[in-house]
Amino acid sequence: MARTKYGPRKTWDENYASLVAYHEQNGHFIFSREGEHKKLGKWLVNQRSNLKKEGLNEIDAARKHKLEQLGIVFGKVKATWDDRINEWKDLQATHGPINGTESFCSDSLKKWAYNTRWEHRTTKEGRKGQGRNLNEERRAQLKEIGFDLDLDLDFGVGVGVG
């Protein structure tokens, strides 16, 4: 392990092995901003950023290929509904009940929670065309993970549906 002024730093291969182990255990590559896997999440963000460009040298091209074989996507990735549900479950396992506004939640999870509640609220209010993504199956999933659809957060400020 290489050393920095902050202590030991894992090599690329050590981080890759940790990433493989994390994926085998959790089934995804979603990392909390806090907790024991925080550094691994930052490492993966750096890999996606550094290896997405064209004209990589032979070593970087081989590393990118290994990550792609593992299922890492380079470029902008839109998380699926199940990714958000799994991220929510993982945070609850670590922190207990959450509402999606806590500092340890990723910005994308906060936006998902806000938008999900917004869809629910506008459907309840009878607005046409709203809530189309919030079917009964998804409502059941939310209930199962303890997601409070009726939590009254400030809907006048923040992110819109998009």
Side-chain angles (χ1 to χ4, degrees), residues 62-154:
R63 288 176 174 175
K64 181 177 182 178
H65 182 71
K66 281 179 82 170
L67 290 170
E68 287 173 330
Q69 287 183 315
L70 193 57
I72 301 299
V73 178
F74 289 84
K76 191 163 184 157
V77 179
K78 184 169 177 121
T80 67
W81 177 267
D82 290 336
D83 291 336
R84 293 291 171 242
I85 293 290
N86 289 331
E87 185 177 0
W88 191 274
K89 286 179 182 178
D90 289 348
L91 288 173
Q92 280 191 327
T94 304
H95 301 283
I98 63 174
N99 67 29
T101 62
E102 294 83 0
S103 63
F104 52 78
C105 292
S106 67
D107 289 341
S108 55
L109 185 67
K110 289 176 184 178
K111 182 175 181 178
W112 174 82
Y114 178 92
N115 289 344
T116 300
R117 288 186 178 107
W118 186 87
E119 281 194 49
H120 172 69
R121 180 177 176 179
T122 55
T123 301
K124 276 177 55 175
E125 293 171 355
R127 295 187 197 172
K128 261 188 169 177
Q130 301 300 326
R132 62 191 172 280
N133 295 322
L134 207 50
N135 59 33
E136 288 308 312
E137 179 185 344
R138 287 185 171 182
R139 288 176 187 278
Q141 283 181 300
L142 293 169
K143 185 175 183 177
E144 182 183 317
I145 64 169
F147 186 99
D148 184 358
L149 280 168
D150 292 310
L151 185 63
D152 191 18
L153 299 174
D154 183 4

Side-chain angles (χ1 to χ4, degrees), residues 56-63:
L56 297 172
N57 65 42
E58 203 172 300
I59 292 172
D60 286 342
R63 288 176 174 175

